[in-house]
Amino acid sequence: MTSACCPVGSLPYLAATHTATGRVVDLGAVELYANTTNGTNGILICPDVWGWNGGRVRAIADGLSEQGYKVAVGKFLAPALDGGTDGDALPPDGDFSMDWIKQFPWETQRPKVEAALGFLKAEGCSKIGVLGFCYGGHPACWASTVEPSVVCGVVLHPSMQLEGFAFGGDTAALLKSVRCPFLLAPAGNDLPMWSACGEFGEALKASAKGADCVFKEFPDMSHGWSCRGDLADEKVRRDVEAVMKDAIGFFAKYVLA
């Protein structure tokens, strides 16, 4: 994979092994994996390029439900490439395709994301946090510009540079348009522009709520570690636990407040 989405050295596909406790909901505009048994406010998860049932995405969703949130995971990268993973995004043995990802600019994704946010609002959520992995940071940032109920966002190993590389937009302008606090957690091999002092980091800090944005860099990790890293590796487990603690704390500050 290339810097258009995932940098060289990114972690590969990880098969999901978690026994999910939520349900699949078909809204017409988009399908969701949802766990809404707990909480009064919500989190929308925007997955990476292996989609709504790759790696630990549903395990993370169920874990956030246990923390007291109504959680939805969007099936946002459909039509999938060569069947995808559970009908979404890339297949397990697939490589990133620029031609494929170009069909998912914000104007295409907006109805899906708004339907997912509408589902959480219909479940009673007046405050919603967005959690993006890799590609998922792109719709997560856009969601914050159009939906007042989105009060914060977290993006792990961000790939919002797709706004420029794939969709013909301006990544810095997108980040400056963000309307709520964001926590960004880049890996060691992510683009240097994603550091707090990098071009994209500075753009986010120039947004309306930039003073409240947080950067937590994980230099020992490779892109994808949070949801696809091998937890048998002591360092990976350490940093997965650390970044999820950071994310939970950030969501608690804004979504549960």
Side-chain angles (χ1 to χ4, degrees):
M1 293 188 180
T2 70
S3 60
C5 184
C6 304
V8 173
S10 297
L11 296 178
Y13 167 79
L14 176 71
T17 58
H18 171 71
T19 301
T21 58
R23 68 193 192 281
V24 171
V25 179
D26 189 345
L27 301 177
V30 69
E31 289 182 81
L32 305 173
Y33 171 76
N35 194 329
T36 57
T37 56
N38 298 313
T40 57
N41 285 321
I43 294 174
L44 173 63
I45 296 180
C46 303
D48 66 11
V49 291
W50 276 285
W52 71 331
N53 198 15
R56 288 187 290 274
V57 169
R58 293 192 182 185
I60 291 168
D62 290 343
L64 288 169
S65 172
E66 292 173 2
Q67 293 289 325
Y69 300 94
K70 297 183 185 297
V71 185
V73 181
K75 185 182 179 181
F76 292 138
L77 291 176
L81 181 67
D82 297 333
T85 298
D86 196 6
D88 190 27
L90 298 179
D93 59 352
D95 290 324
F96 177 78
S97 164
M98 179 64 82
D99 287 339
W100 168 75
I101 202 71
K102 281 182 176 180
Q103 68 185 309
F104 300 110
W106 173 241
E107 55 264 31
T108 297
Q109 301 299 74
R110 181 171 180 169
K112 304 176 190 178
V113 173
E114 289 184 332
L117 293 169
F119 168 82
L120 289 172
K121 290 194 291 183
E123 289 283 330
C125 301
S126 60
K127 294 181 180 181
I128 299 171
V130 286
L131 171 59
F133 299 94
C134 174
Y135 154 81
H138 184 260
C141 284
W142 272 110
S144 79
T145 73
V146 300
E147 176 50 62
S149 65
V150 174
V151 295
C152 72
V154 173
V155 182
L156 311 183
H157 30 94
S159 286
M160 288 85 83
Q161 68 269 11
L162 284 165
E163 176 68 13
F165 281 119
F167 307 132
D170 184 330
T171 302
L174 169 60
L175 294 166
K176 289 176 183 177
S177 72
V178 165
R179 297 179 184 173
C180 61
F182 264 67
L183 164 65
L184 263 59
N189 66 330
D190 277 315
L191 295 178
M193 293 92 88
W194 288 120
S195 70
C197 59
E199 176 188 352
F200 297 155
E202 292 291 347
L204 182 61
K205 289 190 289 185
S207 67
K209 295 293 184 179
D212 299 316
C213 292
V214 176
F215 294 81
K216 298 294 289 286
E217 297 180 40
F218 289 83
D220 292 341
M221 295 295 102
S222 296
H223 182 96
W225 99 93
S226 69
C227 56
R228 305 198 306 270
D230 181 1
L231 295 179
D233 182 306
E234 182 179 344
K235 286 186 177 180
V236 172
R237 177 176 288 275
R238 176 200 68 193
D239 283 0
V240 167
E241 291 175 352
V243 80
M244 290 312 303
K245 181 178 179 180
D246 291 337
I248 288 168
F250 201 74
F251 285 131
K253 181 177 181 179
Y254 294 104
V255 182
L256 294 185

